[in-house]
């Protein structure tokens, strides 16, 4: 049995998120998703996500190919989360290419190509300009 783990904010959930999660799930038997907390986003980007962490977790958890979600409270704890959940594979979008290679010591690391032409940031821009 292979466990896959991935991390993200998944704010203003869109088809790029769906495709990433679906492809991540196809790499193993169980998909676990760390959804970054509101505080973590605030500390990183200086703004809160549009959707609350409870809503973002509920949406991600509703995908039929997601088995389990947990709040990612700290970027520094990735290796702890990987070990704690017994993940065999860490999946990230290729916007993170190379940034997680240090975890190859504890699991397989796979970067998947992003879906072109869609992102939460772009969606927020489009919505706020209409
Ligand atoms: N992702 C993807 N294709 C997209 C957008 C996101 O595969 N078009 C992936 C990211 O690479 C990441 C996961 O979905 O692995 C969660 O991405 P997240 O950062 O929450 O979404 P973005 O749309 O990239 O948000 P932002 O614009 O705020 O960076």
């Amino acid at each position: 049995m292979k466990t896959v783990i991935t991390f993200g904010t998944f704010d203003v959930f869109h088809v790029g998120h769906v495709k990433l999660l679906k492809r991540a799930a196809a790499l193993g038997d169980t998909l676990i998703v760390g959804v970054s907390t509101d505080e973590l986003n605030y500390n990183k980007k200086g703004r809160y996500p549009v959707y609350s962490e409870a809503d973002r977790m509920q949406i991600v958890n509703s995908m039929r190919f997601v088995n389990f979600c947990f709040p990612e409270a700290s970027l520094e704890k990735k290796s702890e989360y990987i070990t704690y959940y017994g993940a065999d594979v860490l999946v990230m979008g290729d916007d993170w290419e190379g940034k997680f290679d240090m975890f190859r010591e504890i699991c397989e690391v796979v970067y998947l190509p992003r879906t072109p032409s869609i992102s939460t940031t772009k969606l927020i821009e489009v919505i706020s300009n209409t």
Side-chain angles (χ1 to χ4, degrees), residues 6-11 14 16-17 20 23 45 47 92-96 112-116 118-122:
T6 192
F7 297 89
T9 306
F10 302 100
D11 190 24
H14 59 68
H17 296 146
L20 185 283
R23 285 176 294 157
K45 297 185 182 169
R47 67 164 177 82
M92 298 297 298
D94 65 0
D95 42 330
W96 296 100
L112 294 176
R114 279 170 70 91
T115 301
I118 189 157
S119 76
T120 297
T121 307
K122 271 193 196 169

Side-chain angles (χ1 to χ4, degrees), residues 63-93:
M63 297 290 108
R64 72 180 135 76
F65 31 80
V66 172
N67 296 90
F68 180 72
C69 255
F70 68 92
E72 180 191 17
S74 164
L75 293 175
E76 282 75 48
K77 285 194 176 158
K78 278 216 171 51
S79 72
E80 283 174 47
Y81 294 130
I82 292 167
T83 309
Y84 181 79
Y85 290 111
D88 303 291
V89 189
L90 167 64
V91 170
M92 298 297 298

